[in-house]
Amino acid sequence: MSKSEALKEKKRGSLTSSLAENKVFFISGFTVFCLWLVFCWQGLSTVVEIWYGNEIFNHGFFIVPGSLYLIYLKRKTLLAQPFQTSSLAFIVIIPALLLYIIGVAGDIQLFLHTATFTLLPALIWLLIGTKAAKTILFPLIFMLFSIPVGEQLIPYLQEIAADGSVILLQLTGVPLFRSGLYIEIPQGRFLVAEACSGVSFFIASFVIGSLYAYLNLVSAKRRATFVAISLIFPVLANIVRVYGIILIAYWTDMEYAAGADHLIYGWFFFAFVIVCLLGIGELMRESAQPERQDYSAHTKPSISFTIFTVLFSLFIVSTAWAMNIASANKTVSAPSKPLLSELKGESCSTTSWQPIIVNADAVKSIYLSGTHCSVKVYSAWFSEQDNELVSDLHRIFDPERYSLAETQQLVINDTTFTVYNVVSVSGEKLSVVRWYEVDDLLFTSAIKTKVHQLKNVLLGNASGGRMFVIAVEGNDISATKSNLASILSQLKY
């Protein structure tokens, strides 16, 4: 055999070996993806419902496909790296698997969604190795934007928008009176409602800003600066939006900027804000750097994949066990005693207040006897079958009718309660307090309540419980404390 023929034979053997390794790699990747789909099916099905039903999170449909496209754009650099499974990924995978199982057992969707979209990039890291994963670090992290979180920021963004717009209105000489989130000018009254919080703008700006920084900025310092701008800019812009709507109403005697107008203006303004944000990015943009030279990929499967497959199978069994526990505990149960049976009520109707409670098994409200109809008590029972005692869907007051003025802390029998002082559009003032009861134990913290319920589920016990909400007329903290202490005493806590 000549030297040239030997060289050709060597190249042919190398190519055959490379194709075999690539085949093994893609089979392993497909296997991991299928395992992820099976294991995280409950998390995926519930998150799709949220993406579709809540406009704040509609962008979730595009995050994973977008991340995969970003990985495709980096294919030359990625394929130049040797692929070797990395056991270091288990520091993320194992906690995520445990979090998912806990989420299934306790029906905690935040845990399910967080684990689902933490597992996917971690599995890719496991499969391709640390060195290769570093080349696509942003696309892997970008997948976390699929997690539907951010609604908790709404009250804070409402407060910021109200504070900022009031300052601007005062600077421009517009006479006003503010009560909570209500801003009243001579021409009418405005409520900085949840739709005016700008949370959709905030989340969308964060996603777009992060993506733009990755695609168009080179230095880490400029990227971090632009992402910070993408967080601050929409908040400031929303203040200007609220201010502008009220100012237009002031100038036009409420002819414009009323009704649906402010929503239409809001979307046009949001588009303008995004254009301005991208304009800032263009000013910060550096010249593109040349793509690194492409090399042949090297795949080297290791024992880590085998370990993962066994481990993942065990966790699938554990998830099935958790689902079985959750299903076994979802039996219709009734409260041990009738709601509010310990309290004496009286017939009257002095307030239209009532909390927004979603899908409770039983509800009851009374005006507390001996208070001259100044204290209304509301109680709801949740069996935890297709409903939740602790949920962000529940509201202790209707945000369309009442505005939060301030919160205060109240200590009774070594237990700290949060008092929410609210005011209605008609000027009605109420002090609202909420707490939970599970296993005859009182909880004022939603987190502690959920943890106790989760413990019950894991032990095979019932996890149902009650929610109590009271509203006291006025914002007198001493009156609230006296009435709350009386109620707790009658409930025998």
Side-chain angles (χ1 to χ4, degrees):
M1 182 183 293
S2 66
K3 186 176 181 181
S4 61
E5 289 177 344
L7 184 61
K8 288 181 181 179
E9 186 66 26
K10 183 178 180 181
K11 286 183 178 180
R12 191 179 299 112
S14 177
L15 179 61
T16 303
S17 175
S18 178
L19 290 173
E21 289 178 347
N22 285 335
K23 184 177 180 180
V24 171
F25 170 75
F26 286 114
I27 291 174
S28 300
F30 181 74
T31 303
V32 167
F33 182 73
C34 290
L35 286 171
W36 176 74
L37 283 178
V38 171
F39 183 75
C40 297
W41 182 253
Q42 185 172 341
L44 290 169
S45 60
T46 54
V47 82
V48 167
E49 293 178 4
I50 296 176
W51 290 345
Y52 181 78
N54 192 330
E55 63 178 11
I56 297 175
F57 304 116
N58 290 161
H59 65 275
F61 285 104
F62 307 100
I63 297 299
V64 171
S67 298
L68 296 177
Y69 179 69
L70 293 177
I71 294 174
Y72 173 77
L73 293 178
K74 295 284 289 185
R75 64 191 182 281
K76 291 183 179 179
T77 306
L78 178 62
L79 293 175
Q81 306 299 324
F83 288 176
Q84 183 177 6
T85 54
S86 173
S87 58
L88 192 61
F90 285 121
I91 63 174
V92 176
I93 292 174
I94 292 177
L97 293 171
L98 291 172
L99 185 67
Y100 191 89
I101 292 172
I102 293 172
V104 170
D107 195 20
I108 306 174
Q109 290 194 357
L110 177 61
F111 287 6
L112 290 176
H113 303 154
T114 301
T116 297
F117 294 105
T118 301
L119 270 174
L120 182 56
L123 293 176
I124 296 174
W125 175 17
L126 170 75
L127 196 62
I128 66 177
T130 301
K131 189 174 182 180
K134 286 181 179 179
T135 65
I136 54 170
L137 180 60
F138 177 82
L140 296 181
I141 295 176
F142 191 68
M143 293 181 185
L144 298 180
F145 279 117
S146 301
I147 304 170
V149 294
E151 284 186 300
Q152 297 80 3
L153 297 173
I154 289 177
Y156 305 103
L157 293 175
Q158 284 178 280
E159 194 70 31
I160 291 172
D163 291 340
S165 59
V166 165
I167 291 173
L168 293 178
L169 289 168
Q170 290 173 336
L171 289 175
T172 50
V174 177
L176 60 88
F177 172 77
R178 179 184 175 186
S179 178
L181 296 176
Y182 288 102
I183 301 174
E184 189 170 355
I185 61 175
Q187 287 74 16
R189 175 178 287 187
F190 290 84
L191 169 65
V192 183
E194 292 185 3
C196 301
S197 67
V199 68
S200 297
F201 298 173
F202 181 83
I203 294 176
S205 177
F206 186 27
V207 174
I208 293 172
S210 301
L211 183 59
Y212 182 91
Y214 169 73
L215 292 175
N216 297 285
L217 303 179
V218 178
S219 73
K221 185 177 179 180
R222 292 195 182 193
R223 285 179 173 177
T225 301
F226 186 73
V227 171
I229 291 173
S230 72
L231 289 171
I232 298 172
F233 194 68
V235 176
L236 298 178
N238 192 53
I239 291 174
V240 175
R241 182 178 73 94
V242 175
Y243 160 72
I245 289 171
I246 298 176
L247 191 63
I248 291 171
Y250 176 71
W251 283 343
T252 63
D253 196 24
M254 298 295 284
E255 183 177 352
Y256 299 102
D261 286 354
H262 71 285
L263 295 177
I264 298 173
Y265 298 161
W267 282 110
F268 278 108
F269 188 76
F270 172 62
F272 174 73
V273 167
I274 293 300
V275 171
C276 290
L277 183 64
L278 298 180
I280 294 172
E282 287 299 309
L283 294 176
M284 299 174 61
R285 188 171 180 176
E286 305 130 311
S287 59
Q289 294 185 348
E291 186 76 20
R292 294 196 305 174
Q293 185 179 358
D294 185 21
Y295 299 93
S296 298
H298 302 283
T299 60
K300 186 178 180 183
S302 75
I303 196 171
S304 296
F305 177 72
T306 305
I307 295 174
F308 164 74
T309 305
V310 175
L311 187 63
F312 210 65
S313 301
L314 290 175
F315 273 104
I316 288 179
V317 174
S318 300
T319 304
W321 167 77
M323 293 177 68
N324 183 60
I325 288 180
S327 176
N329 279 281
K330 283 191 173 183
T331 55
V332 178
S333 57
S336 57
K337 48 194 172 185
L339 296 177
L340 301 179
S341 59
E342 305 93 335
L343 303 180
K344 294 182 179 179
E346 54 187 351
S347 299
C348 51
S349 181
T350 60
T351 178
S352 59
W353 167 87
Q354 68 175 19
I356 299 175
I357 304 297
V358 179
N359 201 25
D361 294 292
V363 296
K364 185 177 181 180
S365 63
I366 62 169
Y367 284 90
L368 193 63
S369 179
T371 61
H372 306 290
C373 299
S374 64
V375 179
K376 189 174 184 180
V377 186
Y378 188 100
S379 183
W381 164 259
F382 295 84
S383 65
E384 292 288 312
Q385 180 184 20
D386 299 324
N387 59 25
E388 287 186 276
L389 173 64
V390 179
S391 170
D392 288 337
L393 297 177
H394 306 319
R395 302 294 182 87
I396 59 174
F397 59 87
D398 186 348
E400 299 297 327
R401 303 180 63 181
Y402 291 88
S403 166
L404 179 64
E406 63 174 344
T407 60
Q408 295 176 288
Q409 300 299 313
L410 194 60
V411 179
I412 299 177
N413 299 330
D414 297 325
T415 302
T416 302
F417 295 84
T418 300
V419 180
Y420 300 86
N421 292 325
V422 301
V423 59
S424 72
V425 65
S426 61
E428 178 188 14
K429 294 182 178 180
L430 296 173
S431 293
V432 184
V433 183
R434 171 178 56 192
W435 70 91
Y436 306 95
E437 178 192 286
V438 180
D439 297 335
D440 294 325
L441 299 175
L442 183 150
F443 298 91
T444 58
S445 166
I447 295 176
K448 291 181 179 179
T449 307
K450 200 69 177 178
V451 169
H452 185 82
Q453 288 183 297
L454 179 59
K455 182 184 72 174
N456 279 354
V457 169
L458 295 176
L459 294 175
N461 300 325
S463 59
R466 310 170 194 251
M467 176 192 298
F468 290 88
V469 189
I470 70 166
V472 182
E473 287 187 359
N475 291 155
D476 186 348
I477 190 67
S478 60
T480 302
K481 182 174 184 178
S482 175
N483 285 295
L484 179 57
S486 175
I487 292 171
L488 296 176
S489 175
Q490 293 179 59
L491 292 174
K492 298 180 181 178
Y493 287 123

